[in-house]
Amino acid sequence: MLDTRLSDEQLHLKKTVEEFAREVVAPVSYQHDRDKTFPYEVVRGMADMGLFGLPFPEEYGGMGGDYFVLCLAIEELGRVDQSVAITLEAGCSLGAMPIHWFGTTKTTARLEDGQWVINGSKAFITNSGTDITRLVTVTAVTGQLPDGKKEISSILVPVPTPGFTAEPAYDKVGWHASDTHPLSFDDVRVPEENQLGERGRGYANFLRILDEGRIAIAALATGAAQGCVDESVRYAREREAFGRPIGANQAIAFKIARMEARAMAARAAYYDAAAKMLAGLPFKKEAAVAKLVAGEAAMDNARDATQIHGGYGFMNEYLVSRHYRDSKILEVGEGTTEVQLMLIARELGL
Ligand SMILES: Cc1cc2nc3c(=O)[nH]c(=O)nc-3n(C[C@H](O)[C@H](O)[C@H](O)COP(=O)(O)OP(=O)(O)OC[C@H]3O[C@@H](n4cnc5c(N)ncnc54)[C@H](O)[C@@H]3O)c2cc1C
């Protein structure tokens, strides 16, 4: 689709990923979802296209793009397969740009003879247990600050390293073809140089990565919301009931019109947040708004799209049923809806 906000280069990238999603990802999505298998062949294709290097400078082997083009790619993948889209998002956002693990449990690291010794565990870590996972980065408590607060730092851990274990994968409601594990660290030793960035800056870096990540998840959710529109328009034109296409009924047409409005609002919100971020302006509120609006758009559209598909919407072969299961996490991951509301309220001075 033509978007006047995008440059020719951005439009080209968007179209290339859209074709890849349609021709390479979509044909194997159902099978990987059903079998709960990681789509190595698809990920290899994405790597060959340079998608995992999209936002990184060319001198480091990247494509020299920026965070916004990464979001465009994530949105296109999210239209047809959220598992594949989150694999890219986690690889580039949470992954290669310091990987930060959500600290549901306490993880500590202490310096001993020039090595960090890490102990603890982490929950819900994406891309952490595949055959091609080569490193993970832990955000761990590394000491105490003079004011008594915890000192938190980020440390790279190559995979495999003795003492590091990716525990058996979670049995999830959706995102079946995405890799998610609990991790445990038992006296994991890595060289002191594996510390990422300044010691004690781990928490500040983590918050910055989360703000950025919200924009990328909003892009994914926008893709999911749009994918639900795509499928619903197609189905409403094809499916005849009581002698005419179901889309000829205003009740169905209005439902789809509202879905399109939600998808467009979600896109506008994440484009705005990304523009502010790339311009070096404060973007915390905009990122939270984008994540909130897009996550809800995905879930609402998935519910409506499933309804429009009638009984077929309850069948796993149908993309809308997958969006229905997959979209729930978009209201939870990278900060829940409630957390986004808290952030927005705080930015408003409340
Ligand atoms: C499939 C999957 C993949 C994930 N991948 C990653 C990953 O790669 N990296 C990563 O860092 N994290 C990852 N996560 C973690 C995810 O970001 C968290 O699950 C999410 O942020 C919610 O945190 P929580 O599970 O601890 O929920 P909790 O914080 O326990 O929240 C539970 C409920 O309480 C509400 N709540 C909590 N506090 C408040 C409050 N103060 N006021 C009002 N309501 C409140 C929440 O909104 C929510 O409804 C992943 C999770 C899943 C399920």
Side-chain angles (χ1 to χ4, degrees), residues 198-215:
E198 214 180 304
R199 183 168 176 171
R201 291 289 299 162
Y203 190 63
N205 295 340
F206 177 50
L207 292 183
R208 161 83 193 190
I209 295 286
L210 277 183
D211 283 340
E212 289 179 2
R214 286 189 180 115
I215 304 176

Side-chain angles (χ1 to χ4, degrees), residues 10-343:
Q10 290 166 338
L11 282 169
H12 177 70
L13 180 273
K14 195 173 157 75
K15 190 164 176 300
T16 305
V17 181
E18 183 193 344
E19 283 167 10
F20 177 81
R22 195 175 52 241
E23 291 164 15
V24 179
V25 182
V28 295
S29 287
Y30 166 56
Q31 190 187 329
H32 281 299
D33 177 75
R34 185 194 59 196
D35 299 343
K36 300 187 178 173
T37 44
F38 187 76
Y40 286 102
E41 74 285 12
V42 169
V43 171
R44 163 57 51 202
M46 287 156 64
D48 290 346
M49 287 167 75
L51 294 189
F52 287 95
L54 258 185
F56 302 110
E58 287 171 33
E59 66 253 43
Y60 300 122
M63 297 286 281
D66 58 29
Y67 202 80
F68 181 56
V69 292
L70 171 67
C71 289
L72 293 177
I74 290 171
E75 180 188 338
E76 289 309 317
L77 293 171
R79 277 167 83 173
V80 303
D81 192 322
Q82 294 190 36
S83 288
V84 168
I86 191 60
T87 298
L88 175 62
E89 195 275 345
C92 287
S93 179
L94 282 172
M97 293 179 166
I99 306 156
H100 288 276
W101 299 344
F102 202 78
T104 49
T105 53
K106 287 194 182 67
T107 302
T108 61
R110 63 176 195 279
L111 261 184
E112 213 177 88
D113 302 330
Q115 290 187 317
W116 285 110
V117 184
I118 307 167
N119 280 287
S121 58
K122 295 285 180 182
F124 303 136
I125 308 307
T126 306
N127 288 353
S128 59
T130 71
D131 295 347
I132 52 173
T133 301
R134 290 291 170 266
L135 67 87
V136 292
T137 309
V138 62
T139 302
V141 177
T142 49
Q144 202 175 26
L145 298 170
D147 62 5
K149 289 189 179 148
K150 286 173 185 163
E151 178 197 86
I152 296 175
S153 309
S154 304
I155 303 164
L156 289 165
V157 178
V159 176
T161 295
F164 166 80
T165 311
E167 305 290 350
Y170 289 99
D171 183 13
K172 296 175 298 212
V173 166
W175 285 8
H176 284 167
S178 153
D179 178 75
T180 327
H181 297 260
L183 303 181
S184 63
F185 302 83
D186 184 10
D187 275 342
V188 171
R189 289 173 177 270
V190 297
E192 186 176 356
E193 306 84 78
N194 282 27
Q195 178 186 312
L196 198 59
E198 214 180 304
R199 183 168 176 171
R201 291 289 299 162
Y203 190 63
N205 295 340
F206 177 50
L207 292 183
R208 161 83 193 190
I209 295 286
L210 277 183
D211 283 340
E212 289 179 2
R214 286 189 180 115
I215 304 176
I217 295 290
L220 199 169
T222 301
Q226 190 64 53
C228 290
V229 176
D230 301 342
E231 295 302 299
S232 298
V233 168
R234 190 179 10 256
Y235 193 75
R237 283 193 182 134
E238 280 170 16
R239 169 73 175 162
E240 296 205 356
F242 301 104
R244 59 183 189 156
I246 58 169
N249 298 299
Q250 204 176 55
I252 298 286
F254 275 17
K255 210 187 275 293
I256 297 175
R258 193 175 291 280
M259 289 162 63
E260 173 72 358
R262 289 188 197 119
M264 287 180 68
R267 187 172 299 108
Y270 98 70
Y271 276 26
D272 178 50
K276 292 219 165 70
M277 179 186 127
L278 292 178
L281 298 169
F283 67 97
K284 189 180 270 300
K285 183 179 75 179
E286 287 75 8
V289 167
K291 166 70 175 53
L292 174 76
V293 169
E296 290 187 347
M299 195 64 226
D300 289 347
N301 279 11
R303 188 191 59 242
D304 285 350
T306 307
Q307 186 70 16
I308 287 165
H309 280 67
Y312 291 108
F314 204 56
M315 300 299 125
N316 283 325
E317 297 96 303
Y318 280 72
L319 172 53
V320 292
S321 74
R322 205 162 63 242
H323 277 314
Y324 187 75
R325 285 187 281 108
D326 289 349
S327 294
K328 184 57 213 163
I329 186 62
L330 295 169
E331 295 184 316
V332 173
E334 210 88 23
T336 61
T337 291
E338 291 76 15
V339 166
Q340 311 311 324
L341 291 168
M342 277 163 48
L343 291 171

